[in-house]
Amino acid sequence: MVDNRFATALVIGSVLALISAVYIAAAIGTDHWYEYRSRPGLSEMNSTELQPSSEEFDREDSDEYMYSRALIMYNGTIGLWRRCISKLKEGYWFKPPPEEVNQGSMCVSFSLKNQFTPKYKQIGNHNSGVDYVRTYLSRCQILLPFISLGLMCFGALIGLCVCSCRSLYPAIGTGVLHLLAGICTLGTVACFAANVELLHAKMQDSEPRPDGEYGWSFCLACVSAPLQLMAAALFIWAARTDRTEYSRMKAYRVA
């Protein structure tokens, strides 16, 4: 027989775990981790010079400097697996395009090879040497969210075992897995934020510092992490407390 307190803790923990899984899955699948806001007039400056950037943008093997520059100039958004820009559509020489249809969206997915390509100390310069910090930050921000989802799915399987037996002790395994998943999600957020800041710091030498903000996909990942940690705390508390009370009751009956 399960105490009502422990049953309530398990239900709340399961709901939190489900919500966090939905949030982190949505964050992985969307491309609004960072949103650029170019200053007025910046995208119109040096139009002939900027045009190659937009042409290079739609190639999967595009150079990091080229697509980063296009993201900044064309109010782009970037995610873990895809990058998008709002490119100005060209009008006729005698009639500019209407304001309401002035923007056109162009999105390109990162290939798996591109995700694990080394980053360089000077962006776009292959002869400048490998920047190991940014390289491993980029790889971690791709791997960690999938590890987090995998741990949560494995924890859910253990939770099914809890439902099929009378003991809550296996729930401690679910709690530990959700704790590790929360740490992985926090690592994803930290790696992405650090990678963006390092990229902007390197581009500041040759370009104006980009204007932008972290998007709602990034916020979903930020919210998912504490939900996972709270679910882990509830699972571990229910399992440990139930085990302790069971041991005390058993000792009392023996005495």
Side-chain angles (χ1 to χ4, degrees):
M1 187 66 179
V2 179
D3 192 293
N4 288 334
R5 295 174 301 164
F6 307 144
T8 302
L10 289 178
V11 171
I12 296 175
S14 300
V15 172
L16 293 177
L18 178 60
I19 295 175
S20 64
V22 172
Y23 281 2
I24 189 62
I28 294 174
T30 52
D31 51 3
H32 289 266
W33 282 67
Y34 196 88
E35 301 175 352
Y36 289 96
R37 298 286 183 270
S38 62
R39 291 182 292 278
L42 183 61
S43 58
E44 287 81 6
M45 295 173 56
N46 302 326
S47 58
T48 57
E49 182 182 354
L50 296 179
Q51 188 62 29
S53 298
S54 60
E55 292 175 353
E56 288 282 342
F57 183 84
D58 59 355
R59 294 172 48 188
E60 288 188 358
D61 58 345
S62 178
D63 184 82
E64 184 185 20
Y65 176 77
M66 299 298 289
Y67 72 71
S68 297
R69 196 159 174 254
L71 285 170
I72 296 171
M73 298 298 177
Y74 294 107
N75 294 327
T77 61
I78 189 169
L80 299 181
W81 290 94
R82 196 169 66 160
R83 60 184 185 266
C84 296
I85 59 173
S86 297
K87 184 182 176 184
L88 294 174
K89 292 184 178 180
E90 297 182 358
Y92 298 101
W93 65 271
F94 59 87
K95 182 180 180 181
E99 193 69 27
E100 60 272 11
V101 294
N102 198 27
Q103 300 291 329
S105 180
M106 179 190 301
C107 296
V108 179
S109 297
F110 290 107
S111 64
L112 190 62
K113 178 182 178 181
N114 187 268
Q115 294 282 21
F116 291 93
T117 300
K119 308 296 182 182
Y120 301 98
K121 295 180 180 179
Q122 293 181 2
I123 302 174
N125 186 359
H126 295 197
N127 298 322
S128 61
V130 177
D131 188 342
Y132 291 101
V133 175
R134 291 190 58 239
T135 297
Y136 287 109
L137 284 175
S138 300
R139 293 175 181 178
C140 287
Q141 76 182 27
I142 295 300
L143 296 176
L144 287 179
F146 290 101
I147 295 175
S148 177
L149 276 177
L151 291 172
M152 294 183 69
C153 293
F154 191 48
L157 294 178
I158 297 179
L160 294 177
C161 297
V162 174
C163 296
S164 62
C165 63
R166 296 182 178 180
S167 175
L168 289 179
Y169 195 68
I172 196 171
T174 303
V176 171
L177 290 175
H178 278 77
L179 176 63
L180 296 175
I183 294 173
C184 288
T185 304
L186 285 176
T188 302
V189 170
C191 288
F192 182 84
N195 194 17
V196 168
E197 294 302 323
L198 289 174
L199 174 64
H200 292 171
K202 288 182 177 296
M203 294 193 70
Q204 192 174 6
D205 298 335
S206 56
E207 303 284 344
R209 183 168 179 83
D211 290 336
E213 59 185 9
Y214 294 98
W216 57 267
S217 301
F218 181 85
C219 295
L220 285 180
C222 292
V223 174
S224 177
L227 292 179
Q228 291 170 339
L229 297 177
M230 287 189 289
L234 288 172
F235 288 136
I236 294 174
W237 174 82
R240 290 292 301 272
T241 308
D242 179 71
R243 184 70 175 181
T244 301
E245 292 194 0
Y246 175 78
S247 301
R248 289 178 180 175
M249 186 179 298
K250 186 177 179 180
Y252 175 76
R253 289 177 178 177
V254 171

